[in-house]
Amino acid sequence: MNISITYCTSWGYLNHALSLRNSIINKFGFDVELIKGTGGIFEITLNNSLIFSKDDLGRFPEDGEIEDLIEGYESVT
């Protein structure tokens, strides 16, 4: 499973990225790549497909939201 979180450094989104990464690691044991970005970006990709974009939704992911998406992906693969 290839998971990455791209987060904005200038807006201070590192803590959001670290918290989500830790949650994914604790639940699934998957490695999560953190990628520094700019412009208010906060995006999560799963196997090179965008599954969450703060820009598109206007918010950060809710607790458990990304984990649910990953579980849904696992159940169909």
Side-chain angles (χ1 to χ4, degrees), residues 15-50:
N15 287 338
H16 289 286
L18 289 172
S19 177
L20 180 56
R21 181 187 71 176
N22 290 340
S23 178
I24 293 168
I25 290 171
N26 289 335
K27 184 163 187 169
F28 301 104
F30 300 142
D31 188 34
V32 178
E33 179 183 13
L34 295 180
I35 302 169
K36 293 178 182 179
T38 60
I41 193 168
F42 195 86
E43 295 181 342
I44 295 95
T45 60
L46 174 62
N47 292 341
N48 300 314
S49 294
L50 183 66

Side-chain angles (χ1 to χ4, degrees), residues 41-75:
I41 193 168
F42 195 86
E43 295 181 342
I44 295 95
T45 60
L46 174 62
N47 292 341
N48 300 314
S49 294
L50 183 66
I51 63 167
F52 183 90
S53 170
K54 180 182 162 294
D55 187 48
D56 290 346
L57 298 174
R59 62 175 176 81
F60 286 100
E62 297 173 6
D63 288 344
E65 181 176 4
I66 301 305
E67 294 86 334
D68 289 346
L69 291 171
I70 294 169
E71 282 181 337
Y73 178 84
E74 282 191 300
S75 70

